[in-house]
Amino acid sequence: AMISLRSIIFILTLFANISAYTHTPCNRFTRPQFQHPNCFVPPLSPTLLLTSASFLYAHDAATGYISCNSISPGEISSSYSKNQVGGVGEQLNHGVRAFDLRMHLLRNGSMVFHHGVISIPVGLETVVEEVLAWCELHPTELVLLLHSDLTYQNGTGTDLYTEEGYGNVGTNAMAEVYNRLGVPYHHCRDVYG
């Protein structure tokens, strides 16, 4: 069954009333991202399917937290893993509305990010809090936090880079973070059945 954008907004319960807006600032860096002059984004039709909507999407969004100021061996490989500039708040300010977040569940139960074998020591709670703070200032915006490439550490400390076996342990840990912050967490199966 097809789900309309309005239904998704209701399901996410994060944001409502998508309306037209002009991105600020509209400068030489942001202007090329928009099809309309002056960085204008027209209102979305309430019947538009989420799968038909266009979003500026940040691949491996958490790599924006990687610092390239160090020349230690770990940082050298980390700098080659960096796909984005700035944290999610800065990316939101530059027009990103959908984020590819690749979670890594540590043995202690905390959730951090990764890009392949590179661990990004920023917690899911930090990122969600940053998004919530931005959304309080922009209450008519729809922001999608999409999780992929879920990984975990096993009991011996070996990193397992597979979604197999991750099962409910990872999704439960993510749901716990979202629920603690008052944000409903919806698994894909909740949306698609």
Side-chain angles (χ1 to χ4, degrees), residues 122-146:
V122 174
L124 174 60
E125 193 161 329
T126 299
V127 168
V128 174
E129 287 172 341
E130 199 171 327
V131 170
L132 288 173
W134 187 90
C135 289
E136 290 218 4
L137 299 173
H138 306 87
T140 61
E141 294 290 327
L142 173 66
V143 175
L144 301 175
L145 303 177
L146 308 168

PDB file of all heavy atoms in Angstrom, residues 122-146:
ATOM      1  N   VAL A 122      30.532   9.713  18.422  1.00  0.00           N
ATOM      2  CA  VAL A 122      29.443  10.639  18.725  1.00  0.00           C
ATOM      3  C   VAL A 122      28.213   9.778  18.949  1.00  0.00           C
ATOM      4  O   VAL A 122      27.917   8.899  18.145  1.00  0.00           O
ATOM      5  CB  VAL A 122      29.205  11.631  17.556  1.00  0.00           C
ATOM      6  CG1 VAL A 122      27.981  12.484  17.810  1.00  0.00           C
ATOM      7  CG2 VAL A 122      30.428  12.488  17.332  1.00  0.00           C
ATOM      8  N   GLY A 123      27.528  10.017  20.045  1.00  0.00           N
ATOM      9  CA  GLY A 123      26.373   9.199  20.394  1.00  0.00           C
ATOM     10  C   GLY A 123      25.114   9.580  19.641  1.00  0.00           C
ATOM     11  O   GLY A 123      24.923  10.736  19.250  1.00  0.00           O
ATOM     12  N   LEU A 124      24.239   8.613  19.463  1.00  0.00           N
ATOM     13  CA  LEU A 124      22.946   8.842  18.825  1.00  0.00           C
ATOM     14  C   LEU A 124      22.173   9.919  19.575  1.00  0.00           C
ATOM     15  O   LEU A 124      21.545  10.783  18.970  1.00  0.00           O
ATOM     16  CB  LEU A 124      22.146   7.544  18.758  1.00  0.00           C
ATOM     17  CG  LEU A 124      20.709   7.642  18.239  1.00  0.00           C
ATOM     18  CD1 LEU A 124      20.683   8.187  16.808  1.00  0.00           C
ATOM     19  CD2 LEU A 124      20.020   6.287  18.313  1.00  0.00           C
ATOM     20  N   GLU A 125      22.230   9.887  20.903  1.00  0.00           N
ATOM     21  CA  GLU A 125      21.503  10.866  21.709  1.00  0.00           C
ATOM     22  C   GLU A 125      21.953  12.292  21.374  1.00  0.00           C
ATOM     23  O   GLU A 125      21.130  13.196  21.245  1.00  0.00           O
ATOM     24  CB  GLU A 125      21.712  10.578  23.194  1.00  0.00           C
ATOM     25  CG  GLU A 125      20.769  11.332  24.076  1.00  0.00           C
ATOM     26  CD  GLU A 125      20.677  10.710  25.456  1.00  0.00           C
ATOM     27  OE1 GLU A 125      20.822   9.480  25.604  1.00  0.00           O
ATOM     28  OE2 GLU A 125      20.434  11.480  26.395  1.00  0.00           O
ATOM     29  N   THR A 126      23.240  12.489  21.196  1.00  0.00           N
ATOM     30  CA  THR A 126      23.779  13.816  20.840  1.00  0.00           C
ATOM     31  C   THR A 126      23.201  14.295  19.517  1.00  0.00           C
ATOM     32  O   THR A 126      22.782  15.448  19.389  1.00  0.00           O
ATOM     33  CB  THR A 126      25.317  13.756  20.757  1.00  0.00           C
ATOM     34  OG1 THR A 126      25.826  13.370  22.033  1.00  0.00           O
ATOM     35  CG2 THR A 126      25.914  15.082  20.341  1.00  0.00           C
ATOM     36  N   VAL A 127      23.167  13.417  18.526  1.00  0.00           N
ATOM     37  CA  VAL A 127      22.673  13.789  17.200  1.00  0.00           C
ATOM     38  C   VAL A 127      21.168  14.084  17.248  1.00  0.00           C
ATOM     39  O   VAL A 127      20.709  15.084  16.694  1.00  0.00           O
ATOM     40  CB  VAL A 127      23.009  12.694  16.165  1.00  0.00           C
ATOM     41  CG1 VAL A 127      22.258  12.905  14.865  1.00  0.00           C
ATOM     42  CG2 VAL A 127      24.517  12.662  15.924  1.00  0.00           C
ATOM     43  N   VAL A 128      20.408  13.241  17.926  1.00  0.00           N
ATOM     44  CA  VAL A 128      18.963  13.457  18.005  1.00  0.00           C
ATOM     45  C   VAL A 128      18.676  14.766  18.747  1.00  0.00           C
ATOM     46  O   VAL A 128      17.812  15.545  18.333  1.00  0.00           O
ATOM     47  CB  VAL A 128      18.238  12.258  18.656  1.00  0.00           C
ATOM     48  CG1 VAL A 128      16.761  12.551  18.861  1.00  0.00           C
ATOM     49  CG2 VAL A 128      18.412  11.009  17.797  1.00  0.00           C
ATOM     50  N   GLU A 129      19.409  15.041  19.819  1.00  0.00           N
ATOM     51  CA  GLU A 129      19.230  16.309  20.546  1.00  0.00           C
ATOM     52  C   GLU A 129      19.535  17.507  19.649  1.00  0.00           C
ATOM     53  O   GLU A 129      18.853  18.526  19.701  1.00  0.00           O
ATOM     54  CB  GLU A 129      20.100  16.340  21.792  1.00  0.00           C
ATOM     55  CG  GLU A 129      19.587  15.444  22.897  1.00  0.00           C
ATOM     56  CD  GLU A 129      20.540  15.326  24.075  1.00  0.00           C
ATOM     57  OE1 GLU A 129      21.749  15.623  23.924  1.00  0.00           O
ATOM     58  OE2 GLU A 129      20.069  14.916  25.158  1.00  0.00           O
ATOM     59  N   GLU A 130      20.575  17.376  18.813  1.00  0.00           N
ATOM     60  CA  GLU A 130      20.932  18.451  17.887  1.00  0.00           C
ATOM     61  C   GLU A 130      19.809  18.682  16.863  1.00  0.00           C
ATOM     62  O   GLU A 130      19.461  19.823  16.555  1.00  0.00           O
ATOM     63  CB  GLU A 130      22.246  18.094  17.183  1.00  0.00           C
ATOM     64  CG  GLU A 130      22.952  19.249  16.565  1.00  0.00           C
ATOM     65  CD  GLU A 130      24.348  18.867  16.070  1.00  0.00           C
ATOM     66  OE1 GLU A 130      25.019  18.008  16.671  1.00  0.00           O
ATOM     67  OE2 GLU A 130      24.775  19.464  15.063  1.00  0.00           O
ATOM     68  N   VAL A 131      19.236  17.599  16.360  1.00  0.00           N
ATOM     69  CA  VAL A 131      18.129  17.709  15.404  1.00  0.00           C
ATOM     70  C   VAL A 131      16.905  18.327  16.087  1.00  0.00           C
ATOM     71  O   VAL A 131      16.250  19.211  15.528  1.00  0.00           O
ATOM     72  CB  VAL A 131      17.785  16.327  14.788  1.00  0.00           C
ATOM     73  CG1 VAL A 131      16.491  16.395  13.985  1.00  0.00           C
ATOM     74  CG2 VAL A 131      18.933  15.834  13.911  1.00  0.00           C
ATOM     75  N   LEU A 132      16.601  17.884  17.295  1.00  0.00           N
ATOM     76  CA  LEU A 132      15.449  18.426  18.017  1.00  0.00           C
ATOM     77  C   LEU A 132      15.605  19.926  18.274  1.00  0.00           C
ATOM     78  O   LEU A 132      14.644  20.688  18.125  1.00  0.00           O
ATOM     79  CB  LEU A 132      15.248  17.683  19.339  1.00  0.00           C
ATOM     80  CG  LEU A 132      14.717  16.253  19.233  1.00  0.00           C
ATOM     81  CD1 LEU A 132      14.741  15.572  20.601  1.00  0.00           C
ATOM     82  CD2 LEU A 132      13.329  16.227  18.639  1.00  0.00           C
ATOM     83  N   ALA A 133      16.810  20.348  18.656  1.00  0.00           N
ATOM     84  CA  ALA A 133      17.050  21.782  18.900  1.00  0.00           C
ATOM     85  C   ALA A 133      16.833  22.579  17.620  1.00  0.00           C
ATOM     86  O   ALA A 133      16.215  23.648  17.631  1.00  0.00           O
ATOM     87  CB  ALA A 133      18.462  21.990  19.436  1.00  0.00           C
ATOM     88  N   TRP A 134      17.304  22.049  16.490  1.00  0.00           N
ATOM     89  CA  TRP A 134      17.124  22.733  15.205  1.00  0.00           C
ATOM     90  C   TRP A 134      15.636  22.781  14.837  1.00  0.00           C
ATOM     91  O   TRP A 134      15.139  23.798  14.375  1.00  0.00           O
ATOM     92  CB  TRP A 134      17.933  22.035  14.116  1.00  0.00           C
ATOM     93  CG  TRP A 134      17.936  22.765  12.825  1.00  0.00           C
ATOM     94  CD1 TRP A 134      18.829  23.708  12.418  1.00  0.00           C
ATOM     95  CD2 TRP A 134      16.991  22.614  11.756  1.00  0.00           C
ATOM     96  NE1 TRP A 134      18.505  24.162  11.165  1.00  0.00           N
ATOM     97  CE2 TRP A 134      17.372  23.513  10.734  1.00  0.00           C
ATOM     98  CE3 TRP A 134      15.864  21.828  11.558  1.00  0.00           C
ATOM     99  CZ2 TRP A 134      16.677  23.626   9.540  1.00  0.00           C
ATOM    100  CZ3 TRP A 134      15.166  21.943  10.376  1.00  0.00           C
ATOM    101  CH2 TRP A 134      15.568  22.832   9.380  1.00  0.00           C
ATOM    102  N   CYS A 135      14.935  21.680  15.063  1.00  0.00           N
ATOM    103  CA  CYS A 135      13.511  21.608  14.710  1.00  0.00           C
ATOM    104  C   CYS A 135      12.660  22.545  15.569  1.00  0.00           C
ATOM    105  O   CYS A 135      11.627  23.018  15.109  1.00  0.00           O
ATOM    106  CB  CYS A 135      13.011  20.176  14.827  1.00  0.00           C
ATOM    107  SG  CYS A 135      13.655  19.108  13.529  1.00  0.00           S
ATOM    108  N   GLU A 136      13.078  22.811  16.789  1.00  0.00           N
ATOM    109  CA  GLU A 136      12.342  23.776  17.613  1.00  0.00           C
ATOM    110  C   GLU A 136      12.375  25.154  16.973  1.00  0.00           C
ATOM    111  O   GLU A 136      11.425  25.918  17.096  1.00  0.00           O
ATOM    112  CB  GLU A 136      12.927  23.823  19.023  1.00  0.00           C
ATOM    113  CG  GLU A 136      12.627  22.563  19.776  1.00  0.00           C
ATOM    114  CD  GLU A 136      12.309  22.805  21.231  1.00  0.00           C
ATOM    115  OE1 GLU A 136      12.243  23.956  21.669  1.00  0.00           O
ATOM    116  OE2 GLU A 136      12.121  21.792  21.911  1.00  0.00           O
ATOM    117  N   LEU A 137      13.473  25.473  16.286  1.00  0.00           N
ATOM    118  CA  LEU A 137      13.598  26.764  15.607  1.00  0.00           C
ATOM    119  C   LEU A 137      12.933  26.754  14.233  1.00  0.00           C
ATOM    120  O   LEU A 137      12.714  27.803  13.641  1.00  0.00           O
ATOM    121  CB  LEU A 137      15.073  27.139  15.452  1.00  0.00           C
ATOM    122  CG  LEU A 137      15.857  27.307  16.756  1.00  0.00           C
ATOM    123  CD1 LEU A 137      17.336  27.494  16.463  1.00  0.00           C
ATOM    124  CD2 LEU A 137      15.286  28.454  17.572  1.00  0.00           C
ATOM    125  N   HIS A 138      12.649  25.564  13.698  1.00  0.00           N
ATOM    126  CA  HIS A 138      12.069  25.402  12.360  1.00  0.00           C
ATOM    127  C   HIS A 138      10.927  24.392  12.436  1.00  0.00           C
ATOM    128  O   HIS A 138      11.017  23.295  11.873  1.00  0.00           O
ATOM    129  CB  HIS A 138      13.145  24.929  11.372  1.00  0.00           C
ATOM    130  CG  HIS A 138      14.356  25.791  11.338  1.00  0.00           C
ATOM    131  ND1 HIS A 138      15.426  25.619  12.193  1.00  0.00           N
ATOM    132  CD2 HIS A 138      14.654  26.850  10.566  1.00  0.00           C
ATOM    133  CE1 HIS A 138      16.330  26.533  11.936  1.00  0.00           C
ATOM    134  NE2 HIS A 138      15.901  27.299  10.967  1.00  0.00           N
ATOM    135  N   PRO A 139       9.833  24.730  13.112  1.00  0.00           N
ATOM    136  CA  PRO A 139       8.783  23.740  13.394  1.00  0.00           C
ATOM    137  C   PRO A 139       7.998  23.234  12.184  1.00  0.00           C
ATOM    138  O   PRO A 139       7.277  22.253  12.301  1.00  0.00           O
ATOM    139  CB  PRO A 139       7.853  24.487  14.368  1.00  0.00           C
ATOM    140  CG  PRO A 139       8.100  25.924  14.098  1.00  0.00           C
ATOM    141  CD  PRO A 139       9.539  26.035  13.674  1.00  0.00           C
ATOM    142  N   THR A 140       8.133  23.864  11.018  1.00  0.00           N
ATOM    143  CA  THR A 140       7.388  23.383   9.853  1.00  0.00           C
ATOM    144  C   THR A 140       8.231  22.496   8.948  1.00  0.00           C
ATOM    145  O   THR A 140       7.787  22.119   7.873  1.00  0.00           O
ATOM    146  CB  THR A 140       6.839  24.569   9.026  1.00  0.00           C
ATOM    147  OG1 THR A 140       7.934  25.352   8.573  1.00  0.00           O
ATOM    148  CG2 THR A 140       5.879  25.411   9.856  1.00  0.00           C
ATOM    149  N   GLU A 141       9.423  22.151   9.387  1.00  0.00           N
ATOM    150  CA  GLU A 141      10.321  21.336   8.565  1.00  0.00           C
ATOM    151  C   GLU A 141      10.167  19.849   8.867  1.00  0.00           C
ATOM    152  O   GLU A 141       9.984  19.458  10.019  1.00  0.00           O
ATOM    153  CB  GLU A 141      11.774  21.736   8.809  1.00  0.00           C
ATOM    154  CG  GLU A 141      12.112  23.123   8.345  1.00  0.00           C
ATOM    155  CD  GLU A 141      12.113  23.254   6.842  1.00  0.00           C
ATOM    156  OE1 GLU A 141      12.466  22.292   6.145  1.00  0.00           O
ATOM    157  OE2 GLU A 141      11.749  24.332   6.376  1.00  0.00           O
ATOM    158  N   LEU A 142      10.260  19.034   7.836  1.00  0.00           N
ATOM    159  CA  LEU A 142      10.280  17.582   7.975  1.00  0.00           C
ATOM    160  C   LEU A 142      11.731  17.132   7.890  1.00  0.00           C
ATOM    161  O   LEU A 142      12.432  17.471   6.933  1.00  0.00           O
ATOM    162  CB  LEU A 142       9.469  16.915   6.850  1.00  0.00           C
ATOM    163  CG  LEU A 142       9.556  15.389   6.793  1.00  0.00           C
ATOM    164  CD1 LEU A 142       8.911  14.770   8.032  1.00  0.00           C
ATOM    165  CD2 LEU A 142       8.890  14.871   5.530  1.00  0.00           C
ATOM    166  N   VAL A 143      12.181  16.414   8.891  1.00  0.00           N
ATOM    167  CA  VAL A 143      13.546  15.888   8.917  1.00  0.00           C
ATOM    168  C   VAL A 143      13.448  14.374   9.068  1.00  0.00           C
ATOM    169  O   VAL A 143      12.749  13.886   9.954  1.00  0.00           O
ATOM    170  CB  VAL A 143      14.365  16.493  10.077  1.00  0.00           C
ATOM    171  CG1 VAL A 143      15.735  15.855  10.166  1.00  0.00           C
ATOM    172  CG2 VAL A 143      14.483  18.007   9.921  1.00  0.00           C
ATOM    173  N   LEU A 144      14.146  13.656   8.206  1.00  0.00           N
ATOM    174  CA  LEU A 144      14.132  12.193   8.251  1.00  0.00           C
ATOM    175  C   LEU A 144      15.475  11.681   8.747  1.00  0.00           C
ATOM    176  O   LEU A 144      16.517  12.037   8.195  1.00  0.00           O
ATOM    177  CB  LEU A 144      13.855  11.620   6.855  1.00  0.00           C
ATOM    178  CG  LEU A 144      12.538  12.040   6.208  1.00  0.00           C
ATOM    179  CD1 LEU A 144      12.455  11.491   4.795  1.00  0.00           C
ATOM    180  CD2 LEU A 144      11.363  11.568   7.028  1.00  0.00           C
ATOM    181  N   LEU A 145      15.441  10.847   9.773  1.00  0.00           N
ATOM    182  CA  LEU A 145      16.635  10.191  10.289  1.00  0.00           C
ATOM    183  C   LEU A 145      16.523   8.725   9.892  1.00  0.00           C
ATOM    184  O   LEU A 145      15.682   8.000  10.417  1.00  0.00           O
ATOM    185  CB  LEU A 145      16.725  10.340  11.807  1.00  0.00           C
ATOM    186  CG  LEU A 145      16.714  11.771  12.337  1.00  0.00           C
ATOM    187  CD1 LEU A 145      16.729  11.774  13.850  1.00  0.00           C
ATOM    188  CD2 LEU A 145      17.875  12.563  11.770  1.00  0.00           C
ATOM    189  N   LEU A 146      17.348   8.322   8.950  1.00  0.00           N
ATOM    190  CA  LEU A 146      17.267   6.973   8.379  1.00  0.00           C
ATOM    191  C   LEU A 146      18.496   6.183   8.806  1.00  0.00           C
ATOM    192  O   LEU A 146      19.624   6.616   8.591  1.00  0.00           O
ATOM    193  CB  LEU A 146      17.180   7.070   6.853  1.00  0.00           C
ATOM    194  CG  LEU A 146      16.086   8.010   6.343  1.00  0.00           C
ATOM    195  CD1 LEU A 146      16.252   8.275   4.867  1.00  0.00           C
ATOM    196  CD2 LEU A 146      14.719   7.427   6.642  1.00  0.00           C
TER     197      LEU A 146
END
